[in-house]
Amino acid sequence: MTLLVALTWDPKPWVDRFELHLPEYPVAVLGNEFDRSAVRYVATWGPKPGSLSDLPALEAIFSLGAGVDHLMGYPNLPDVPIVRVSQDDLTHRMSEYVVMHCLLHLRDQRRYDAAQRAKQWDADRTPPIAGDVRVGVMGFGVLGQDAARKLQLMGFDVAGWSRTPKTVQGFEIFSGPEGLEKFLARTDILVSLMPLTPETRGILNASLFAKLARDGQLGGPILINVGRGGLQVESDILAALDRGILKAATLDVFQVEPLPTDSPLWTHPRVTVTPHNSAVSDPDKTARYIAQQIRRHEAGEPFQNIVERSRGY
Amino acid sequence: MTLLVALTWDPKPWVDRFELHLPEYPVAVLGNEFDRSAVRYVATWGPKPGSLSDLPALEAIFSLGAGVDHLMGYPNLPDVPIVRVSQDDLTHRMSEYVVMHCLLHLRDQRRYDAAQRAKQWDADRTPPIAGDVRVGVMGFGVLGQDAARKLQLMGFDVAGWSRTPKTVQGFEIFSGPEGLEKFLARTDILVSLMPLTPETRGILNASLFAKLARDGQLGGPILINVGRGGLQVESDILAALDRGILKAATLDVFQVEPLPTDSPLWTHPRVTVTPHNSAVSDPDKTARYIAQQIRRHEAGEPFQNIVERSRGY
């Protein structure tokens, strides 16, 4: 029996952590020689076509990150449970990112950054407080709910949007296409935390931006996308910024990653670019989580956080 | 009876708001003609010497901001209650500032800002989470406690330091000179929210910086000063940054304000300068608060938030 690590980046920190937290399991690395018939589990992110085939003893695939869209389009994906890694520290990091960037927009900190570069004492303004600003969290799963709760604790007026009707105490949650317009009409800062599915691909486009609130306290609606780059139409974001439909955008994900050097997003004065690091999986904590799931499974208990293939997340 | 507005900046927004929320009181403005014997209340910030003398009917002075150090050195300060304006929205703004800047340091966002300017996709790092970082809030009054509570809700490991022993549920609070060393030794991010008094002047100096924790997750201790510029020795901050005693500093207040153009703080790569706007007093909400206090007083109830002159805040 073997755990196969199938990554497109340096697997060493992951192998080390699996050997530490799951010492009973030999670890194989895709690219090296290993016995395919011994592989019982795969830990992967963005596996290359073919790398998951011909594993007759496979019992589960662990996805090393919050989303599983990297697996959903995989040809001949083995018919075993796909387990999402959703450990607390990834959730914390995501909420820290979302709260920080909402506060940066609330306080117009980028204006102060520019003033500092120009050595200007730009003091004559009273920013709104969080309670004056409506944040809309689109995608209200584990990550969306944690971010929403922390935004609310900081004082923001938070609502959610979910594909299917959902009840979470303390939040107004809109749902479905019919709830989307109302949700957008009360949103000053849109936080996108949706999974990437055929339904959500390209959903952050000109038509959606035009429906965001125009009567807010921030001088125009703001987009924060921390879901997947495939959710957004970057040419529409740039056009909306230049036409005043969007005031600013914070993007952690892109249609092509790494973001190509010639993308105008890098240098747009009202765009913040971060390198898809809003919620990095920590190898140590992730390996611990997977070890725990494997031990549950081998003790006859079900895996937690199994992906529902029909909906794609 | 008159309310006198004594400001060193444009009084118009304040006068408008007092006329709105306290229509029964004529408003006089320092600099214009007015009947000194009719002045019952003064609303002021940084009054010029002489401007508060010869007001025989004076009953109280309202300080338009969180601190009162601008009054404590005032020659022949009239012997009437000094009422601190401590309304909620100033407290909210301060906490928003403090949480935002702690998160910026937690996530090393300035590094990503620099990477964006260089069009570099700088992805290979796993930042600590808030729970790995110890914030020390120095000055644990209304503002300090609200900031501490919100930092804790975001996950930070928060303790406080106070001049006198204090108990606030959920926090370890160190006090006095004897508690200071222990407090500093467990502090990765120091948030200064102290009042400026003869005891605290220059307290943020080389000797204090040397006592901050050196075993933290952020690569060195960080200073955030949102109290008063007189608390800090700017030459010591610069030297500590250059010697690696401090990793970074976020300063909203300065020994001389506006910060002089030739200050090296403007351009230091690890210093964030903001123009003393962490917690701006909103004229509308402040005028409402003062109107409420005046009505309390005239109904025979005591003022709230009276300054204790002997301790200086």
Side-chain angles (χ1 to χ4, degrees):
Chain A
M1 59 186 195
T2 311
L3 169 69
L4 173 66
V5 174
L7 295 176
T8 50
W9 63 71
D10 177 18
K12 177 137 194 338
W14 295 85
V15 172
D16 291 351
R17 291 326 191 290
F18 283 120
E19 287 177 344
L20 183 67
H21 296 300
L22 201 66
E24 65 270 34
Y25 262 77
V27 177
V29 174
L30 194 75
N32 299 350
E33 293 241 331
F34 63 94
D35 175 6
R36 299 193 79 90
S37 70
V39 173
R40 193 178 285 178
Y41 304 106
V42 173
T44 188
W45 184 264
K48 286 182 191 136
S51 55
L52 302 185
S53 313
D54 195 18
L55 301 171
L58 190 65
E59 295 190 11
I61 297 171
F62 293 97
S63 170
L64 300 180
V68 292
D69 48 287
H70 64 104
L71 285 170
M72 288 295 109
Y74 187 83
N76 304 317
L77 188 67
D79 187 20
V80 297
I82 300 169
V83 180
R84 252 176 307 150
V85 166
S86 175
Q87 84 283 36
D88 286 350
D89 88 307
L90 186 149
T91 309
H92 288 310
R93 281 199 185 85
M94 181 60 91
S95 293
E96 288 158 5
Y97 183 100
V98 169
V99 171
M100 176 179 82
H101 284 283
C102 284
L103 288 171
L104 285 166
H105 290 295
L106 171 69
R107 297 194 58 101
D108 216 353
Q109 178 58 35
R110 297 314 192 179
R111 177 173 163 150
Y112 295 111
D113 291 349
Q116 180 176 353
R117 287 194 293 274
K119 300 188 182 183
Q120 275 168 3
W121 186 262
D122 179 18
D124 289 334
R125 297 163 55 241
T126 307
I129 58 173
D132 299 328
V133 172
R134 298 161 296 180
V135 181
V137 177
M138 212 170 162
F140 222 70
V142 172
L143 296 176
Q145 288 177 38
D146 191 74
R149 200 177 54 81
K150 285 176 179 156
L151 287 165
Q152 198 176 61
L153 292 169
M154 286 305 301
F156 286 103
D157 178 3
V158 184
W161 180 86
S162 169
R163 191 180 62 93
T164 51
K166 195 173 263 188
T167 307
V168 177
Q169 190 160 16
F171 294 101
E172 185 176 11
I173 305 179
F174 299 82
S175 68
E178 62 290 354
L180 188 55
E181 292 217 7
K182 274 190 192 162
F183 166 78
L184 296 171
R186 56 77 62 208
T187 293
D188 299 316
I189 302 180
L190 180 66
V191 175
S192 154
L193 265 162
M194 288 171 281
L196 181 61
T197 68
E199 279 175 22
T200 60
R201 182 171 292 278
I203 195 172
L204 302 173
N205 59 33
S207 148
L208 181 143
F209 302 148
K211 294 172 184 157
L212 287 162
R214 303 216 58 80
D215 59 346
Q217 298 290 309
L218 298 179
I222 286 161
L223 170 67
I224 298 179
N225 186 11
V226 280
R228 284 287 182 267
L231 299 168
Q232 75 199 12
V233 179
E234 288 167 15
S235 54
D236 283 10
I237 294 174
L238 286 160
L241 287 165
D242 291 339
R243 286 176 202 153
I245 307 292
L246 286 176
K247 183 195 171 198
T250 295
L251 306 174
D252 188 48
V253 289
F254 302 91
Q255 289 174 260
V256 177
E257 293 180 9
L259 182 64
T261 313
D262 62 0
S263 167
L265 292 169
W266 281 115
T267 50
H268 195 289
R270 284 175 286 124
V271 174
T272 296
V273 169
T274 57
H276 199 152
N277 77 336
S278 53
V280 190
S281 298
D282 180 70
D284 192 67
K285 288 179 176 143
T286 306
R288 259 181 231 258
Y289 179 85
I290 290 174
Q292 178 210 336
Q293 291 296 321
I294 287 177
R295 295 208 179 96
R296 275 179 69 95
H297 173 68
E298 306 215 331
E301 290 175 73
F303 289 115
Q304 294 169 307
N305 275 310
I306 294 183
V307 172
E308 202 178 297
R309 293 195 186 204
S310 63
R311 61 176 192 179
Y313 61 94
Chain B
M1 57 187 199
T2 309
L3 169 70
L4 174 65
V5 175
L7 296 175
T8 51
W9 64 70
D10 177 17
K12 175 133 194 344
W14 296 84
V15 172
D16 291 350
R17 291 326 190 290
F18 283 120
E19 289 178 344
L20 183 66
H21 296 299
L22 200 67
E24 64 270 35
Y25 262 79
V27 177
V29 175
L30 194 75
N32 298 349
E33 295 242 331
F34 62 94
D35 175 6
R36 298 192 81 89
S37 69
V39 173
R40 193 177 284 181
Y41 305 106
V42 172
T44 188
W45 184 265
K48 288 183 189 132
S51 55
L52 302 185
S53 314
D54 195 18
L55 301 171
L58 190 65
E59 295 189 12
I61 297 172
F62 294 96
S63 171
L64 300 180
V68 292
D69 49 287
H70 64 105
L71 285 169
M72 288 295 110
Y74 187 84
N76 304 316
L77 188 66
D79 187 21
V80 297
I82 300 169
V83 179
R84 251 177 307 147
V85 166
S86 175
Q87 83 282 36
D88 287 350
D89 88 306
L90 188 148
T91 309
H92 288 309
R93 281 199 185 86
M94 181 61 90
S95 293
E96 288 159 5
Y97 184 101
V98 169
V99 170
M100 176 179 81
H101 284 283
C102 285
L103 289 171
L104 285 167
H105 290 296
L106 170 69
R107 297 194 59 103
D108 216 353
Q109 176 59 34
R110 297 316 192 176
R111 176 172 162 152
Y112 294 111
D113 290 349
Q116 179 176 353
R117 288 193 292 274
K119 300 188 183 184
Q120 274 167 4
W121 186 261
D122 179 17
D124 288 335
R125 298 163 55 242
T126 306
I129 57 173
D132 299 329
V133 171
R134 299 162 296 181
V135 180
V137 177
M138 211 170 166
F140 221 71
V142 172
L143 295 176
Q145 288 177 39
D146 190 74
R149 200 176 55 78
K150 285 176 179 156
L151 288 165
Q152 198 177 60
L153 292 170
M154 286 305 302
F156 286 102
D157 179 3
V158 184
W161 180 86
S162 169
R163 191 180 63 94
T164 51
K166 195 173 263 190
T167 307
V168 177
Q169 189 161 14
F171 295 100
E172 184 175 13
I173 305 179
F174 300 82
S175 67
E178 63 290 355
L180 188 57
E181 293 218 6
K182 276 191 190 162
F183 167 78
L184 296 172
R186 55 77 64 208
T187 294
D188 301 315
I189 302 179
L190 180 66
V191 176
S192 154
L193 265 162
M194 287 171 281
L196 181 62
T197 68
E199 280 174 22
T200 60
R201 183 171 291 278
I203 195 172
L204 302 174
N205 59 32
S207 149
L208 181 143
F209 302 148
K211 293 171 184 157
L212 287 163
R214 303 218 57 80
D215 59 346
Q217 299 290 308
L218 298 180
I222 286 161
L223 170 66
I224 298 179
N225 187 10
V226 279
R228 283 286 181 267
L231 300 167
Q232 74 198 11
V233 181
E234 288 167 14
S235 54
D236 284 10
I237 294 174
L238 286 160
L241 287 166
D242 292 338
R243 285 175 202 154
I245 308 291
L246 286 176
K247 183 195 171 198
T250 296
L251 306 174
D252 187 46
V253 290
F254 302 91
Q255 289 175 257
V256 176
E257 295 180 8
L259 182 64
T261 313
D262 63 357
S263 167
L265 292 168
W266 281 113
T267 51
H268 197 290
R270 284 175 286 122
V271 174
T272 297
V273 168
T274 56
H276 199 152
N277 77 336
S278 54
V280 189
S281 298
D282 180 70
D284 191 68
K285 288 177 176 143
T286 306
R288 260 181 232 257
Y289 179 84
I290 290 174
Q292 178 210 334
Q293 292 295 319
I294 287 178
R295 295 207 179 99
R296 275 179 69 95
H297 173 69
E298 307 216 331
E301 290 175 74
F303 289 116
Q304 293 169 308
N305 278 307
I306 293 182
V307 171
E308 203 177 295
R309 292 195 186 204
S310 63
R311 63 175 192 180
Y313 61 93

